[in-house]
Amino acid sequence: FSIIPYANFIMPLIFFLLVLISSIITDNTKLDIKKRNKAYNITIITFIVFLYSFTFSILTDNQYYTHMPNFDNILFKETKDKTYTEDDLIILNNYLKDKVIENATTMKRDNQNNIILEENLNKIASEDLKNVSNELKLLKGLYPLRSNNLNDTLKGLYGSSTVGLTNMYTTYLDYNASPVSSLGTITHEYCHTKGIARENETVFCAFLAGVNSNNKVSNYSAYLEAFSRSNYALSYINPDEAFNIEEEVLRMCLTNNYTELCEMYIKNNCHLLHHPQWYLHQY
């Protein structure tokens, strides 16, 4: 389905066309009864096969979500019950901040400071995930060859802030986003195609693939996502400290025109909704 543009929307259309064809054949009294019967049987068989294919994605998604163990049991059995402190989160957030700044300043960029990435995003994402498939066996096997473009029409349906989407057998990506954002997003969506349904675990799946990749953009994408998530968590506990840490990164969005950092800020602007006192820090 990755080579069929907008396959998940085409499938329901075919489904309803089959219903229509079946109705026309059944009601057409001008046809010979044997021809009508034969055509009807072929249509019904096709209809049933298609119906099972159409619903298989929904059925398997629910089964994975219900029966697959949590990642803490798969990857972190020894530490899953460990308790962490606020200081631990601050240390982690500062470490990830340093990683983001280190990667941001060493990326290959053009004259407008946009990151240059000439390789195929889908290929990089699938190779990164296969690279960690020994640690997470669900990631073995095939991946989509390409992703459909998440255009303005789809953003109108799913929300303007949507940057990636997995719907039935089809993945979508906003190719207009920065390579860092796009690569992290498509890796995330490819994790979904392997049956990882829980969003927090899909985020970690993409992080795991990114930090273990040989591709520097993958590394940067993973650290940036991890920094964003941990900083958001810290903002609930210690908003002032979270802002101070985040400000050092976001300053590079304005002073260096690093698009990927501006995109992170847009994604996290709900911080201001939770902590209106952050507005005061801007003045």
Side-chain angles (χ1 to χ4, degrees):
F1 286 95
S2 65
I3 61 174
I4 304 173
Y6 306 101
N8 66 305
F9 295 106
I10 293 173
M11 287 182 69
L13 178 62
I14 296 173
F15 181 84
F16 290 114
L17 284 175
L18 285 171
V19 175
L20 181 62
I21 291 169
S22 177
S23 300
I24 292 172
I25 291 172
T26 305
D27 295 335
N28 190 352
T29 56
K30 294 180 181 179
L31 290 177
D32 177 78
I33 186 65
K34 290 184 178 180
K35 290 181 179 179
R36 286 171 62 193
N37 190 55
K38 185 177 181 181
Y40 176 78
N41 288 337
I42 292 172
T43 306
I44 287 298
I45 291 170
T46 308
F47 177 82
I48 291 172
V49 171
F50 189 87
L51 181 62
Y52 276 100
S53 301
F54 184 70
T55 58
F56 185 73
S57 170
I58 300 170
L59 293 173
T60 51
D61 278 353
N62 289 336
Q63 293 305 307
Y64 272 117
Y65 191 90
T66 305
H67 298 292
M68 191 177 80
N70 290 323
F71 268 24
D72 57 358
N73 286 316
I74 297 176
L75 297 172
F76 308 111
K77 288 183 178 179
E78 295 180 0
T79 58
K80 68 174 185 175
D81 296 321
K82 185 176 179 180
T83 301
Y84 296 91
T85 66
E86 179 183 331
D87 288 339
D88 291 325
L89 184 55
I90 292 173
I91 292 169
L92 172 64
N93 208 214
N94 275 304
Y95 168 78
L96 292 170
K97 176 203 68 179
D98 292 339
K99 281 292 186 181
V100 167
I101 293 173
E102 175 190 336
N103 279 273
T105 54
T106 56
M107 286 288 113
K108 184 180 178 181
R109 298 178 184 268
D110 61 18
N111 294 332
Q112 283 75 45
N113 273 343
N114 296 314
I115 291 174
I116 299 172
L117 181 63
E118 298 174 348
E119 300 149 274
N120 182 280
L121 292 170
N122 302 84
K123 185 177 180 181
I124 296 172
S126 58
E127 288 178 351
D128 288 349
L129 290 164
K130 289 177 184 177
N131 184 48
V132 291
S133 60
N134 286 333
E135 190 168 353
L136 192 58
K137 293 182 180 179
L138 276 173
L139 302 179
K140 293 182 181 294
L142 299 175
Y143 287 89
L145 298 175
R146 62 182 296 276
S147 298
N148 291 285
N149 181 38
L150 187 66
N151 55 34
D152 291 339
T153 302
L154 288 175
K155 285 193 173 187
L157 291 172
Y158 291 97
S160 59
S161 61
T162 306
V163 292
L165 177 68
T166 299
N167 191 306
M168 290 183 60
Y169 304 98
T170 310
T171 57
Y172 294 88
L173 176 65
D174 182 1
Y175 285 98
N176 294 319
S178 71
V180 171
S181 175
S182 297
L183 185 53
T185 299
I186 200 58
T187 307
H188 176 108
E189 299 306 325
Y190 277 12
C191 288
H192 276 314
T193 69
K194 288 301 180 182
I196 301 172
R198 304 179 186 102
E199 277 299 313
N200 58 338
E201 296 185 344
T202 310
V203 170
F204 185 80
C205 168
F207 170 79
L208 186 67
V211 293
N212 287 285
S213 174
N214 295 321
N215 188 296
K216 284 184 64 65
V217 180
S218 294
N219 301 154
Y220 184 24
S221 175
Y223 282 121
L224 186 59
E225 179 70 16
F227 170 71
S228 171
R229 298 274 174 168
S230 64
N231 188 262
Y232 185 78
L234 182 59
S235 71
Y236 279 96
I237 302 170
N238 189 334
D240 292 331
E241 184 66 27
F243 175 82
N244 291 333
I245 295 172
E246 185 183 46
E247 198 271 339
E248 191 174 342
V249 172
L250 294 182
R251 192 188 306 131
M252 299 172 71
C253 156
L254 300 174
T255 59
N256 298 39
N257 194 31
Y258 286 172
T259 308
E260 69 281 357
L261 298 180
C262 299
E263 288 176 346
M264 183 199 78
Y265 182 72
I266 293 170
K267 185 173 69 173
N268 288 348
N269 63 6
C270 55
H271 282 181
L272 298 177
L273 298 177
H274 290 294
H275 306 293
Q277 69 269 29
W278 282 25
Y279 280 115
L280 300 177
H281 286 283
Q282 306 295 326
Y283 302 99

